[in-house]
Amino acid sequence: MRIAYTSDLHVDISQRNWELVPYLAEVLKMVDPDVFVLAGDVSPEIGDLEYALDCFSGLRGLKLFVPGNQDIWVLSEEMQGLGHDSYEKYYFYLPEACRRNDFVPLWMEPVVCRGVGFAGSIGWYDSPLGAGDAGMAFPREHHYLLDSVWNDNRWACWADIATLTQAGGGPAKRADAEVAREFNLRLDQDVEALSRDSSVREIVVVTHYPPFVELSVEGIPFTGSRETGGILSSHPKVTISISGHIHDRRDILVGNVRAVRCPVGYLGGDRQKYQDLVKNCLEVIHTLEEEDFLGRGLT
Protein backbone atom coordinates (compact mmCIF):
# COMPACT_ATOMS: atom_id res chain seq x y z
CA MET A 1 0.00 0.00 0.00
CA ARG A 2 1.24 3.47 -0.91
CA ILE A 3 0.36 6.29 1.47
CA ALA A 4 1.10 9.81 0.22
CA TYR A 5 1.07 12.63 2.75
CA THR A 6 1.57 16.34 3.19
CA SER A 7 0.38 19.11 5.51
CA ASP A 8 0.34 22.85 6.12
CA LEU A 9 -0.86 23.99 2.69
CA HIS A 10 -1.66 27.45 4.15
CA VAL A 11 -3.48 28.58 1.02
CA ASP A 12 -4.47 31.83 2.74
CA ILE A 13 -0.87 32.88 3.38
CA SER A 14 0.34 33.67 -0.14
CA GLN A 15 -0.50 33.37 -3.82
CA ARG A 16 2.30 30.83 -4.12
CA ASN A 17 0.67 28.59 -1.51
CA TRP A 18 -2.68 28.90 -3.32
CA GLU A 19 -1.19 28.11 -6.74
CA LEU A 20 0.81 25.13 -5.50
CA VAL A 21 -2.24 23.03 -4.59
CA PRO A 22 -3.52 22.18 -8.11
CA TYR A 23 0.04 21.42 -9.19
CA LEU A 24 0.43 19.15 -6.18
CA ALA A 25 -2.83 17.43 -7.12
CA GLU A 26 -1.57 16.75 -10.65
CA VAL A 27 1.60 15.15 -9.31
CA LEU A 28 -0.51 13.00 -6.98
CA LYS A 29 -2.55 11.76 -9.93
CA MET A 30 0.67 10.42 -11.43
CA VAL A 31 1.73 8.88 -8.12
CA ASP A 32 -1.75 7.34 -7.79
CA PRO A 33 -1.49 6.50 -4.06
CA ASP A 34 -3.84 4.08 -2.36
CA VAL A 35 -4.27 6.62 0.46
CA PHE A 36 -3.67 10.38 0.52
CA VAL A 37 -3.30 12.08 3.92
CA LEU A 38 -3.61 15.83 4.47
CA ALA A 39 -2.52 16.59 8.04
CA GLY A 40 -4.05 20.01 8.67
CA ASP A 41 -3.52 23.77 8.40
CA VAL A 42 -5.14 24.57 5.08
CA SER A 43 -6.91 27.83 6.01
CA PRO A 44 -9.19 29.32 8.66
CA GLU A 45 -11.74 30.00 5.89
CA ILE A 46 -14.07 27.13 4.97
CA GLY A 47 -14.20 28.35 1.36
CA ASP A 48 -10.41 28.09 1.07
CA LEU A 49 -10.52 24.59 2.55
CA GLU A 50 -13.16 23.51 0.04
CA TYR A 51 -11.05 24.91 -2.81
CA ALA A 52 -8.04 22.89 -1.65
CA LEU A 53 -9.94 19.66 -1.07
CA ASP A 54 -11.69 19.97 -4.44
CA CYS A 55 -8.30 20.21 -6.17
CA PHE A 56 -7.76 16.55 -5.20
CA SER A 57 -11.07 15.36 -6.65
CA GLY A 58 -9.27 13.47 -9.41
CA LEU A 59 -7.52 11.08 -7.02
CA ARG A 60 -8.83 7.53 -7.08
CA GLY A 61 -7.63 6.39 -3.66
CA LEU A 62 -8.88 6.97 -0.13
CA LYS A 63 -8.48 10.60 0.98
CA LEU A 64 -8.05 11.47 4.67
CA PHE A 65 -7.98 14.81 6.48
CA VAL A 66 -7.38 16.04 10.01
CA PRO A 67 -7.60 19.76 10.87
CA GLY A 68 -4.78 21.94 12.10
CA ASN A 69 -4.99 24.75 14.61
CA GLN A 70 -5.53 27.37 11.92
CA ASP A 71 -8.43 25.39 10.42
CA ILE A 72 -10.42 25.71 13.66
CA TRP A 73 -9.87 29.44 14.21
CA VAL A 74 -12.98 31.61 14.54
CA LEU A 75 -11.75 34.87 13.03
CA SER A 76 -14.33 37.16 14.59
CA GLU A 77 -14.52 38.22 18.21
CA GLU A 78 -18.11 39.23 17.56
CA MET A 79 -18.99 35.71 16.37
CA GLN A 80 -17.20 34.21 19.38
CA GLY A 81 -19.24 36.48 21.62
CA LEU A 82 -22.40 35.13 20.00
CA GLY A 83 -21.37 31.59 20.92
CA HIS A 84 -19.70 30.41 17.69
CA ASP A 85 -16.58 28.48 18.59
CA SER A 86 -13.91 26.04 17.43
CA TYR A 87 -15.94 23.00 18.51
CA GLU A 88 -18.58 24.08 16.00
CA LYS A 89 -15.99 24.02 13.23
CA TYR A 90 -14.26 20.86 14.48
CA TYR A 91 -17.37 18.71 14.88
CA PHE A 92 -19.71 20.18 12.25
CA TYR A 93 -18.43 22.55 9.55
CA LEU A 94 -15.09 20.85 8.87
CA PRO A 95 -16.49 17.29 8.72
CA GLU A 96 -19.23 18.46 6.35
CA ALA A 97 -16.67 20.17 4.11
CA CYS A 98 -14.65 16.95 4.03
CA ARG A 99 -17.62 14.78 3.11
CA ARG A 100 -18.73 17.19 0.37
CA ASN A 101 -15.30 16.77 -1.21
CA ASP A 102 -14.88 13.01 -0.77
CA PHE A 103 -12.41 13.26 2.12
CA VAL A 104 -12.85 11.20 5.28
CA PRO A 105 -12.86 13.42 8.41
CA LEU A 106 -10.52 11.04 10.19
CA TRP A 107 -10.98 12.53 13.67
CA MET A 108 -14.66 11.65 13.34
CA GLU A 109 -14.46 8.41 11.35
CA PRO A 110 -11.53 6.01 11.79
CA VAL A 111 -11.25 3.77 8.72
CA VAL A 112 -9.69 0.47 7.66
CA CYS A 113 -8.18 -0.01 4.22
CA ARG A 114 -6.74 -3.39 3.19
CA GLY A 115 -5.77 -4.37 6.71
CA VAL A 116 -4.40 -0.97 7.73
CA GLY A 117 -6.35 1.06 10.27
CA PHE A 118 -6.29 4.87 10.23
CA ALA A 119 -7.19 7.08 13.19
CA GLY A 120 -6.71 10.80 13.62
CA SER A 121 -6.97 13.91 15.77
CA ILE A 122 -5.93 17.54 15.64
CA GLY A 123 -3.74 16.64 18.63
CA TRP A 124 -3.57 20.00 20.42
CA TYR A 125 -1.06 20.80 23.17
CA ASP A 126 -0.74 20.62 26.95
CA SER A 127 1.05 23.94 27.44
CA PRO A 128 1.85 26.23 24.49
CA LEU A 129 4.88 28.49 24.36
CA GLY A 130 4.29 30.91 27.19
CA ALA A 131 5.17 34.53 27.64
CA GLY A 132 8.52 33.50 29.07
CA ASP A 133 9.35 31.74 25.83
CA ALA A 134 8.52 34.70 23.59
CA GLY A 135 11.91 36.26 24.18
CA MET A 136 13.81 33.14 23.23
CA ALA A 137 16.23 33.38 20.35
CA PHE A 138 14.03 31.44 17.95
CA PRO A 139 15.52 30.66 14.55
CA ARG A 140 13.91 33.07 12.13
CA GLU A 141 12.44 30.26 10.04
CA HIS A 142 10.43 29.08 13.07
CA HIS A 143 8.98 32.42 14.19
CA TYR A 144 5.63 31.25 12.79
CA LEU A 145 5.34 28.97 15.84
CA LEU A 146 5.25 32.00 18.11
CA ASP A 147 2.77 33.71 15.79
CA SER A 148 0.63 30.59 15.88
CA VAL A 149 0.49 30.59 19.68
CA TRP A 150 -0.47 34.27 19.81
CA ASN A 151 -3.19 33.71 17.21
CA ASP A 152 -4.43 30.56 18.98
CA ASN A 153 -4.91 32.67 22.10
CA ARG A 154 -7.16 34.97 20.11
CA TRP A 155 -8.88 32.81 17.50
CA ALA A 156 -8.88 29.24 18.84
CA CYS A 157 -12.04 29.27 20.91
CA TRP A 158 -12.78 25.99 22.69
CA ALA A 159 -15.81 27.23 24.58
CA ASP A 160 -16.63 26.04 28.09
CA ILE A 161 -20.42 26.12 28.04
CA ALA A 162 -20.51 25.43 31.78
CA THR A 163 -18.91 28.78 32.59
CA LEU A 164 -19.85 32.23 31.36
CA THR A 165 -17.48 35.16 31.37
CA GLN A 166 -18.17 37.72 34.06
CA ALA A 167 -18.95 40.29 31.38
CA GLY A 168 -21.57 37.97 29.96
CA GLY A 169 -19.91 38.05 26.55
CA GLY A 170 -20.33 34.36 25.83
CA PRO A 171 -18.77 31.15 27.13
CA ALA A 172 -15.28 31.19 28.64
CA LYS A 173 -12.48 29.39 26.83
CA ARG A 174 -11.31 26.02 28.10
CA ALA A 175 -7.68 25.56 29.08
CA ASP A 176 -5.44 24.03 26.41
CA ALA A 177 -4.53 21.12 28.69
CA GLU A 178 -8.22 20.22 29.08
CA VAL A 179 -8.75 20.35 25.33
CA ALA A 180 -5.69 18.18 24.71
CA ARG A 181 -6.90 15.66 27.30
CA GLU A 182 -10.32 15.47 25.66
CA PHE A 183 -8.91 14.88 22.19
CA ASN A 184 -6.34 12.39 23.47
CA LEU A 185 -9.09 10.39 25.17
CA ARG A 186 -11.07 10.13 21.95
CA LEU A 187 -7.96 9.22 19.96
CA ASP A 188 -7.10 6.50 22.47
CA GLN A 189 -10.61 5.08 22.14
CA ASP A 190 -10.40 5.05 18.35
CA VAL A 191 -6.98 3.38 18.32
CA GLU A 192 -8.13 0.84 20.92
CA ALA A 193 -11.13 -0.05 18.76
CA LEU A 194 -8.89 -0.56 15.73
CA SER A 195 -6.45 -2.61 17.81
CA ARG A 196 -9.23 -5.01 18.81
CA ASP A 197 -10.20 -5.52 15.17
CA SER A 198 -8.61 -8.81 14.10
CA SER A 199 -8.61 -7.69 10.44
CA VAL A 200 -6.30 -4.76 11.27
CA ARG A 201 -2.64 -5.74 11.17
CA GLU A 202 -1.20 -2.23 11.70
CA ILE A 203 -2.42 1.29 12.48
CA VAL A 204 -1.46 4.69 11.08
CA VAL A 205 -2.23 7.65 13.35
CA VAL A 206 -2.56 11.12 11.83
CA THR A 207 -2.34 14.25 14.01
CA HIS A 208 -1.63 17.85 13.18
CA TYR A 209 0.47 18.54 16.25
CA PRO A 210 3.61 16.41 16.67
CA PRO A 211 2.93 13.55 19.09
CA PHE A 212 6.55 12.96 20.11
CA VAL A 213 9.12 15.25 21.73
CA GLU A 214 11.62 13.78 19.28
CA LEU A 215 9.79 15.67 16.51
CA SER A 216 10.59 19.04 18.10
CA VAL A 217 12.97 21.60 16.69
CA GLU A 218 16.18 21.86 18.68
CA GLY A 219 16.06 24.80 21.09
CA ILE A 220 12.28 25.22 20.83
CA PRO A 221 9.90 23.85 23.49
CA PHE A 222 7.71 20.89 22.52
CA THR A 223 4.58 22.12 20.78
CA GLY A 224 2.36 19.06 21.32
CA SER A 225 1.13 16.79 24.09
CA ARG A 226 3.32 14.06 25.52
CA GLU A 227 0.18 12.08 26.28
CA THR A 228 -0.48 11.76 22.54
CA GLY A 229 2.85 10.04 22.05
CA GLY A 230 2.14 7.80 25.03
CA ILE A 231 -1.08 6.65 23.38
CA LEU A 232 0.69 5.75 20.15
CA SER A 233 3.47 3.91 21.99
CA SER A 234 1.02 1.95 24.15
CA HIS A 235 -0.68 0.25 21.20
CA PRO A 236 1.60 -2.32 19.54
CA LYS A 237 -0.29 -2.17 16.24
CA VAL A 238 0.56 1.53 15.74
CA THR A 239 3.48 1.56 13.29
CA ILE A 240 3.30 4.99 11.64
CA SER A 241 2.65 8.54 12.88
CA ILE A 242 1.96 11.29 10.33
CA SER A 243 1.88 14.86 11.64
CA GLY A 244 2.43 18.48 10.60
CA HIS A 245 2.50 21.94 12.25
CA ILE A 246 6.29 22.35 12.26
CA HIS A 247 7.48 23.34 8.81
CA ASP A 248 10.34 20.92 8.30
CA ARG A 249 10.56 17.34 7.09
CA ARG A 250 11.12 14.50 9.51
CA ASP A 251 11.37 10.73 9.20
CA ILE A 252 12.53 9.16 12.46
CA LEU A 253 11.91 6.07 14.56
CA VAL A 254 10.47 6.64 18.03
CA GLY A 255 10.37 3.29 19.77
CA ASN A 256 8.53 1.06 17.29
CA VAL A 257 6.71 3.94 15.57
CA ARG A 258 7.94 5.56 12.36
CA ALA A 259 7.17 9.27 12.82
CA VAL A 260 7.05 11.38 9.66
CA ARG A 261 5.98 14.81 8.43
CA CYS A 262 6.34 16.57 5.08
CA PRO A 263 4.78 20.06 5.18
CA VAL A 264 4.41 22.84 2.63
CA GLY A 265 4.73 25.74 5.08
CA TYR A 266 4.81 29.47 4.28
CA LEU A 267 6.09 29.98 0.74
CA GLY A 268 5.90 33.78 0.61
CA GLY A 269 8.33 35.13 -1.99
CA ASP A 270 9.88 31.71 -2.63
CA ARG A 271 10.51 31.50 -6.39
CA GLN A 272 11.39 27.82 -6.61
CA LYS A 273 9.75 25.96 -9.44
CA TYR A 274 6.60 24.14 -8.43
CA GLN A 275 8.13 20.75 -9.24
CA ASP A 276 10.97 21.49 -6.81
CA LEU A 277 8.50 22.60 -4.13
CA VAL A 278 6.53 19.38 -4.52
CA LYS A 279 9.68 17.33 -3.98
CA ASN A 280 10.01 18.98 -0.56
CA CYS A 281 6.37 18.77 0.55
CA LEU A 282 5.06 15.43 -0.71
CA GLU A 283 6.24 12.02 0.44
CA VAL A 284 5.09 8.45 -0.09
CA ILE A 285 5.43 5.75 2.53
CA HIS A 286 4.89 2.05 1.82
CA THR A 287 3.27 -0.55 4.05
CA LEU A 288 3.55 -4.28 3.45
CA GLU A 289 0.55 -6.13 2.11
CA GLU A 290 -0.61 -9.32 3.78
CA GLU A 291 0.60 -11.50 0.92
CA ASP A 292 4.14 -10.23 1.47
CA PHE A 293 4.20 -12.31 4.68
CA LEU A 294 2.78 -15.53 3.22
CA GLY A 295 5.87 -16.98 1.59
CA ARG A 296 4.25 -17.47 -1.80
CA GLY A 297 5.66 -20.36 -3.82
CA LEU A 298 6.87 -22.24 -0.75
CA THR A 299 5.75 -25.85 -0.19
Side-chain angles (χ1 to χ4, degrees):
M1 177 186 293
R2 287 174 297 170
I3 304 171
Y5 59 93
T6 189
S7 69
D8 299 271
L9 299 183
H10 292 295
V11 299
D12 61 313
I13 291 296
S14 74
Q15 188 67 24
R16 294 281 285 167
N17 284 79
W18 180 276
E19 293 173 351
L20 178 67
V21 180
Y23 189 92
L24 180 62
E26 289 302 312
V27 173
L28 276 164
K29 286 181 186 177
M30 292 184 286
V31 174
D32 193 23
D34 301 291
V35 180
F36 171 54
V37 174
L38 182 53
D41 266 9
V42 176
S43 171
E45 301 292 344
I46 294 293
D48 289 349
L49 175 67
E50 297 231 30
Y51 155 76
L53 298 184
D54 181 64
C55 285
F56 302 107
S57 61
L59 298 185
R60 300 188 300 174
L62 182 66
K63 293 177 288 188
L64 310 176
F65 177 73
V66 299
N69 57 307
Q70 296 193 21
D71 300 313
I72 56 83
W73 285 349
V74 180
L75 296 178
S76 167
E77 292 173 346
E78 179 181 2
M79 294 298 286
Q80 290 182 25
L82 292 172
H84 299 281
D85 72 345
S86 297
Y87 281 119
E88 187 177 42
K89 293 189 75 174
Y90 193 68
Y91 287 123
F92 180 71
Y93 293 120
L94 293 175
E96 288 302 307
C98 286
R99 295 178 185 121
R100 282 193 297 268
N101 292 279
D102 199 29
F103 270 76
V104 175
L106 195 59
W107 69 105
M108 303 288 290
E109 304 171 15
V111 295
V112 178
C113 178
R114 287 159 45 180
V116 179
F118 294 85
S121 172
I122 191 173
W124 216 244
Y125 42 79
D126 297 318
S127 54
L129 307 178
D133 300 313
M136 294 179 63
F138 270 40
R140 182 172 181 177
E141 64 271 23
H142 294 296
H143 278 191
Y144 65 88
L145 290 173
L146 285 174
D147 294 338
S148 177
V149 170
W150 295 330
N151 282 305
D152 279 349
N153 287 335
R154 185 175 186 183
W155 304 124
C157 179
W158 305 109
D160 184 352
I161 60 174
T163 306
L164 297 179
T165 60
Q166 292 182 352
K173 295 182 180 181
R174 298 182 65 201
D176 291 318
E178 293 180 11
V179 177
R181 193 176 307 117
E182 173 189 343
F183 292 156
N184 280 328
L185 177 61
R186 177 159 184 160
L187 178 63
D188 192 26
Q189 292 171 340
D190 288 344
V191 175
E192 176 63 29
L194 289 172
S195 296
R196 292 197 303 267
D197 187 338
S198 60
S199 71
V200 174
R201 67 175 183 273
E202 61 181 303
I203 299 171
V204 177
V205 175
V206 183
T207 60
H208 177 67
Y209 280 90
F212 298 111
V213 175
E214 289 84 350
L215 291 167
S216 297
V217 175
E218 185 176 357
I220 296 178
F222 182 48
T223 59
S225 167
R226 288 171 172 79
E227 185 180 351
T228 311
I231 291 168
L232 273 59
S233 299
S234 68
H235 293 281
K237 285 189 178 181
V238 175
T239 58
I240 297 170
S241 159
I242 299 173
S243 61
H245 190 58
I246 300 178
H247 298 169
D248 66 6
R249 295 178 58 151
R250 287 294 178 95
D251 189 339
I252 62 174
L253 192 65
V254 182
N256 294 318
V257 179
R258 183 179 178 184
V260 299
R261 67 170 172 251
C262 193
V264 174
Y266 296 168
L267 299 181
D270 193 323
R271 303 313 301 174
Q272 280 185 285
K273 295 180 179 179
Y274 285 133
Q275 56 263 42
D276 294 329
L277 291 172
V278 169
K279 290 178 184 178
N280 294 325
C281 69
L282 179 66
E283 190 58 83
V284 179
I285 197 169
H286 296 258
T287 66
L288 294 175
E289 301 289 347
E290 183 177 353
E291 56 265 25
D292 292 323
F293 297 99
L294 298 182
R296 289 171 294 174
L298 298 179
T299 58

